[in-house]
Amino acid sequence: MNKHLNNVELFLRGSNLYRGIRLTTAVVTPLVIMYILGYAEWAPSVVVGVFLNAPGDIPGSLKRKVNAILISIGLTMLVTCTILFFKPYLVALLIAITIISFVVSLISVYGFRASLVSFSGLLSMVLALAVQKESPQEIFNHIGLMGIGGLWYLLISFTFQKLAPKKDNNQLLSDTLALIGEYLKLRARLLTKKNKRETLIKEALVLQTQINEKHETLREVLYVERKKSGRSHYDEKQLLIFISTINIFELIEAKHLDYNEIDRLFLDRKDFLKASKNLNKVLGNHLIKLSDLLIQKRKIPNKNVLLEALAKANDAISDYVDDVTLPKAREGALVLKNLYDYQELLLEEVRAIRRVMANVREASKVSLKRQDASQFLTLQEYRLNVIIQNLSFSSNLFRHALRFTVAVLFAFILGTVLEIHNTYWIVLTILVIMRPNYGLTKERSKDRIIGTLIGASVAISIVLLTQNVIVYATLAIVSLIFAFALIQENYKFAAALITINVIFVYSLINPNAFEVIQYRVIDTIIGAIIAIVANYLLWPSWEVNNLKDVLHDAVKKNTCYLLATKDLYHAKKQNQLAYKVARKDAFLAISNLNAAFQRLTQDPKSKQREFQLIYSLVTLNQTMVSATASIGSFIVNHKTTSASKEFDVMVLKIADTLQMSCALLEGKPIIKQSDAESIKEAEDVLLKTFQHLSHKRDKNIKKGNTEISTRDMHHLQEAYLIPNQLIWLKSLSENLKRATRKYIEAI
């Protein structure tokens, strides 16, 4: 019960509800004002302008948000004007619908925000089909009032942002902390749940993608707006929390353990892993709690539970050594020690977030230079050649634009020929649910139909119970608020609430509510069927055919990340920024690969060719990033010895093998560069370093010197971790090359 109440409070205080209230305010205010002033006939046009230009208002920099809304206003006015003037002439109207549907759809090639502007333009086309304006004077009045509505929404959005300037940022940070908390808990289960690892790894891929998406948005919000001076203390706090989430995510990725090795070392002694597993759970739950407190503004929980869990994890190392005894226990003890060190670093980052949230003034300041910050941003190119490059059937968005255009034309002609009531509702359904990916279109179609049926059922019940227009008006407003609050979180319930809103708005105009409900349900089902069939039959974009480029990018960024880690080992201070940028690029590339794999799982089974092979490629790339992150994290957080030439030889061998995979994906001949003998020699030298330190440690123990200095422990950890990770990376890169060759031969 307390959990449900907590979730309700988070929703009521969160930015999603605030966004719903903002849009509803922008809609209702002009209706009320114009009704009072006696200009009620103008209000619908203004409201249309508000609705059309709200989609581009998403979290991000203020400049980009304003630009998106202004472009949206111009686009929606132009599209509406074109449709209204061509409406009396069927052939001209069909040509206009064709051109607008295709061209405006292609705007999506400029990124997510552009896709929302594209949606606004297409939505304006659909709503223009519903508007009855005959004379040029009426058309221009409508378009002008739409523009006023768009500017009114921009003003309302700006005002609401000034009233709560950090609400969106806090929500993003809160969501990120919660996702990372869940990811930590999932990692805990991976440690001992041998039989469930494949399922858990697939869940991990989804979480990684979601976390990377949040981080990308936060980079834009927190870095683009960052100035050379004059940032507020609150801005500094948000940036510090964000940087800690980045560090935590890297640390988690750095401990993508070799679970076969874990199982070998702790086959009959899994009890010694329980303390580490519990610490991960405690850290994860604490991050989730902190994520709630970013929204709720309550007192930060006591840290003792974290310290107790850490102490137990440390004690487990000693207990393991006492039980197994040295030297047999050395490998297992080093694994537990490396795991403990990583979790100790995690705890430090969690405590850093706690200090920031508690307003501790001694918390670190951010010293990132503006030019350095810009290197972490993923810049979107807006030149015309981006569209020109996508004018090809090899472009997924080009095929989607064609598919969408044909579906819209078919729906409009079908509705016109059969004289279907409110044909534009069918077209609207296609617009809302049709996506470049078949699986997502099918999922949204299902949610849309179920949501519409639920909304229609609720509306029928209310209409049967009451015929009160005040009730209708109240429910229309309330449903609108919650529909837009839930549209990103739960599309099914949002669709139900939108249906309730539409029905009650129509009921205020037309007393025959049952007729409205009937047509709404029928038109939604027709639109959903057309969207699904079009996605399946018309130039389908099966994800198996789109994976090669995404896979190539992941392997390429993996290689750059590995080489940046090599440079970091040689000169930590000079190369840390380049390392972090390469790390960000690698994580994003892997996130894109994970997302592509998730889309593949949504395609029909018959279209999931070479599924297991593709899954292997995804997990191999993911594991390689994690193994590289493990080396990089150790170098960053420990005082290390100088990088040896054997280390360089191994890294260059791995990079060489990865380049071969890239060549296979590019269709280029493979050029082998590494010498097998020198690789084997380098491997032996690296392993002998650990053996030498181990023998030295054994001699000291025999002499009674059981204590070990921090410096010697770090050297022992370094000598164990880095060679083993390199050998693992070498094996992974060779497996990746073989799998890539099979993949190329299969497609």
Side-chain angles (χ1 to χ4, degrees), residues 279-325:
L279 179 52
N280 255 32
K281 285 184 177 179
V282 170
L283 287 166
N285 285 326
H286 201 81
L287 282 173
I288 293 169
K289 183 62 178 175
L290 291 178
S291 79
D292 292 349
L293 298 184
L294 276 173
I295 306 298
Q296 294 170 326
K297 312 296 183 187
R298 291 183 182 174
K299 187 178 178 182
I300 294 174
N302 195 291
K303 66 186 177 190
N304 289 344
V305 65
L306 296 171
L307 299 176
E308 288 170 7
L310 184 71
K312 288 180 181 178
N314 192 31
D315 292 341
I317 303 172
S318 303
D319 294 343
Y320 176 80
V321 172
D322 292 342
D323 185 74
V324 180
T325 68

Side-chain angles (χ1 to χ4, degrees), residues 226-377:
R226 184 173 174 81
K227 298 177 181 178
K228 290 182 180 178
S229 61
R231 279 186 70 86
S232 69
H233 177 60
Y234 202 89
D235 292 330
E236 201 76 18
K237 284 175 60 177
Q238 290 189 325
L239 193 54
L240 283 165
I241 293 172
F242 168 63
I243 289 171
S244 285
T245 67
I246 292 282
N247 293 338
I248 291 171
F249 187 50
E250 187 204 20
L251 286 167
I252 299 172
E253 290 298 276
K255 282 302 163 190
H256 190 102
L257 300 166
D258 185 345
Y259 292 110
N260 291 329
E261 188 70 4
I262 294 287
D263 293 338
R264 181 183 70 81
L265 291 170
F266 297 95
L267 182 64
D268 301 320
R269 297 183 173 88
K270 285 193 176 178
D271 285 351
F272 293 107
L273 293 171
K274 285 184 178 178
S276 293
K277 180 179 178 179
N278 180 61
L279 179 52
N280 255 32
K281 285 184 177 179
V282 170
L283 287 166
N285 285 326
H286 201 81
L287 282 173
I288 293 169
K289 183 62 178 175
L290 291 178
S291 79
D292 292 349
L293 298 184
L294 276 173
I295 306 298
Q296 294 170 326
K297 312 296 183 187
R298 291 183 182 174
K299 187 178 178 182
I300 294 174
N302 195 291
K303 66 186 177 190
N304 289 344
V305 65
L306 296 171
L307 299 176
E308 288 170 7
L310 184 71
K312 288 180 181 178
N314 192 31
D315 292 341
I317 303 172
S318 303
D319 294 343
Y320 176 80
V321 172
D322 292 342
D323 185 74
V324 180
T325 68
L326 291 168
K328 185 180 178 182
R330 179 165 290 116
E331 281 191 78
L334 284 171
V335 168
L336 289 175
K337 175 61 176 170
N338 285 331
L339 195 54
Y340 172 81
D341 285 351
Y342 135 78
Q343 291 178 314
E344 190 175 33
L345 291 169
L346 279 176
L347 179 56
E348 282 304 308
E349 294 295 343
V350 173
R351 293 183 71 180
I353 294 172
R354 286 172 52 89
R355 286 194 295 273
V356 172
M357 289 177 63
N359 288 310
V360 175
R361 291 285 174 175
E362 290 74 26
S364 301
K365 293 280 184 180
V366 181
S367 60
L368 192 63
K369 297 177 183 177
R370 192 174 185 180
Q371 61 269 31
D372 292 347
S374 65
Q375 294 187 51
F376 291 95
L377 296 172

Side-chain angles (χ1 to χ4, degrees), residues 142 201 203 210 215 226 324 381 411 480 571 588 677 736:
H142 176 68
I201 287 171
E203 289 178 23
Q210 292 172 339
H215 278 160
R226 184 173 174 81
V324 180
E381 189 179 347
L480 183 65
L588 282 179
E677 287 187 18
L736 180 62

